[in-house]
């Protein structure tokens, strides 16, 4: 009788942990051997545009409405990379904040208008606690994001 309950408990636990593990993997499997430092990508963005890359970093923020985006911290201070999927394609959990993530995807470049550039750079300066003068921005910039094909949130 005890053995029957023990077997049932073991099966239930293994099902629970299988479900838990599945919740931490989104899309394709990510190979940790292919990781490129986020700081390396950010230092030479144009050389990675339209290429598949794998990064690793701490998840600093997650979309609280749909889980459709997250930011991954660089190995360098005040740097992060924006990771975005189409709504519903992958849903990143709020519990991913503060955890390491492996992200495999394609880096894309999105040209901003001059006004959008000023707003974006003002937000970046605010995050870093730096002063910002909008009139100092005289040329539009590009916004870069990683569109993932696979994400693994590490526990």
């Amino acid at each position: 009788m005890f053995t029957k309950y023990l077997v049932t408990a073991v099966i239930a636990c293994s099902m629970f942990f299988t479900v838990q593990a599945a919740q931490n993997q989104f899309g394709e499997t990510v190979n940790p051997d292919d990781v490129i430092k986020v700081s390396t990508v950010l230092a030479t963005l144009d050389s990675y545009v339209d290429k598949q890359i794998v990064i690793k970093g701490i998840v600093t923020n997650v979309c609280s409405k749909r889980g459709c985006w997250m930011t991954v911290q660089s190995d360098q201070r005040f740097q992060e990379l924006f990771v975005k999927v189409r709504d519903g394609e992958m849903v990143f959990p709020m519990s991913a904040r503060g955890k390491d993530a492996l992200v495999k995807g394609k880096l894309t470049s999105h040209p901003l208008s001059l006004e959008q550039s000023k707003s974006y750079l003002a937000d970046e300066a605010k995050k870093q606690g730096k002063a910002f003068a909008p009139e100092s921005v005289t040329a539009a910039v590009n916004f870069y994001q990683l569109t993932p094909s696979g994400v693994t949130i590490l526990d």
Side-chain angles (χ1 to χ4, degrees):
M1 186 75 159
F2 175 74
T3 305
K4 179 180 173 183
Y5 290 117
L6 182 61
V7 169
T8 303
V10 168
I11 290 171
C13 285
S14 67
M15 288 172 42
F16 171 77
F17 287 114
T18 300
V19 169
Q20 288 296 92
Q23 291 177 346
N24 293 325
Q25 177 64 46
F26 305 91
E28 298 175 8
T29 302
V30 183
N31 184 350
D33 296 335
D34 297 335
V35 169
I36 301 168
K37 289 184 177 182
V38 174
S39 61
T40 301
V41 174
L42 293 175
T44 55
L45 283 162
D46 290 330
S47 64
Y48 291 103
V49 170
D50 294 329
K51 294 182 181 171
Q52 288 286 326
I53 61 172
V54 175
I55 61 164
K56 180 181 179 182
I58 296 172
V59 176
T60 54
N61 207 354
V62 177
C63 173
S64 60
K65 293 183 181 177
R66 294 185 173 238
C68 60
W69 61 262
M70 65 181 177
T71 52
V72 176
Q73 185 176 7
S74 170
D75 49 297
Q76 298 292 316
R77 194 172 179 189
F78 299 123
Q79 291 182 343
E80 57 188 16
L81 193 55
F82 188 72
V83 177
K84 173 77 171 97
V85 296
R86 282 188 291 234
D87 290 352
E89 194 171 278
M90 295 179 192
V91 179
F92 305 122
M94 295 298 290
S95 62
R97 284 185 185 173
K99 294 183 180 176
D100 275 327
L102 290 166
V103 183
K104 173 184 176 182
K106 183 177 177 183
L107 186 70
T108 56
S109 172
H110 304 273
L112 302 178
S113 69
L114 184 58
E115 285 306 309
Q116 290 170 325
S117 296
K118 288 179 182 182
S119 177
Y120 170 70
L121 294 171
D123 287 344
E124 291 300 304
K126 184 178 178 181
K127 285 181 197 175
Q128 296 176 22
K130 294 182 178 179
F132 179 74
E135 65 279 359
S136 68
V137 180
T138 58
V141 298
N142 287 336
F143 176 76
Y144 297 87
Q145 75 179 35
L146 187 59
T147 304
S149 56
V151 175
T152 303
I153 307 296
L154 305 171
D155 285 328

